[in-house]
Amino acid sequence: MKGMLEKAIRHFQHALAKDPDYALAYSGLADAYSVPGLWGFMPASEVLPKALVAARRAVELAPELAEARTSLGFVELLNWDWEAAEASLLHAIDLNPRHALAHSFHAWLLSTLDRQSEASEAARLGQELDPLSPATNGIAALVAYHGRQYDQAITECERVLGRDSTSFLALIAITLSCAAKGMYA
């Protein structure tokens, strides 16, 4: 996965070299920096500041672009700036109520804040809008895990892993959920 993300970063940088005002490329670059920082593939202290700069530039170039606001909200979530993250993600949802990832990241934030009922609803909506996305389904599984709904999390993960046996979110959520149930094997 690290190699794929590094390749994505290079491609987004190449696109920006050709068009320095391409907001979607900045948004993609922010996401490509955020993921390896989140999972420890690259030092968070190294990549999250770059992700924040890219996300802010995307919003500056296209304040009406839901993807840009979602990228900013995700980086703010990873930086534990809960208030800013929620504002950015809700703004993204206002801009495009059908943007599944904005709902899913909002679900993740709500779950982190122990607002489980709201988190479950946001996760469900993210899945409904993009039912085949490993991200929306993996986040829904993590939300179920955080809500101590381990059987539901395991079911979600098995569904995701049936389509993509390498889904990092699903592998983490199923491991945590099985461990929480004492299913160590």
Side-chain angles (χ1 to χ4, degrees), residues 88-178:
S88 293
L89 293 167
L90 289 175
H91 194 166
I93 291 167
D94 285 343
L95 290 169
N96 181 358
R98 300 199 50 79
H99 188 46
L101 206 50
H103 289 284
S104 293
F105 287 155
H106 190 228
W108 190 341
L109 171 66
L110 293 168
S111 181
T112 300
L113 297 175
D114 201 27
R115 292 164 54 190
Q116 199 56 41
S117 176
E118 294 171 86
S120 295
E121 178 57 25
R124 184 201 59 75
L125 186 52
Q127 284 182 295
E128 183 180 297
L129 292 169
D130 194 352
L132 298 179
S133 166
T136 61
N137 287 294
I139 290 170
L142 285 172
V143 167
Y145 165 76
H146 287 146
R148 294 178 177 78
Q149 299 170 337
Y150 306 125
D151 290 330
Q152 178 185 343
I154 291 168
T155 299
E156 296 280 356
C157 292
E158 288 172 342
R159 193 165 36 87
V160 173
L161 293 168
R163 289 191 303 266
D164 177 6
S165 63
T166 65
S167 171
F168 199 71
L169 285 171
L171 290 168
I172 286 175
I174 200 166
T175 300
L176 293 170
S177 297
C178 288

Side-chain angles (χ1 to χ4, degrees), residues 11 17 21 25 34 42 50 56-57 68 73 79 83 109 115 133 141 144 146 154 166 172-173 181-182 184:
H11 285 299
D21 294 330
S34 296
M42 295 177 182
K50 293 176 183 179
R56 285 181 175 158
R57 181 68 177 141
N79 282 320
E83 190 174 307
L109 171 66
R115 292 164 54 190
S133 166
H146 287 146
I154 291 168
T166 65
I172 286 175
K181 289 187 65 159
Y184 303 113

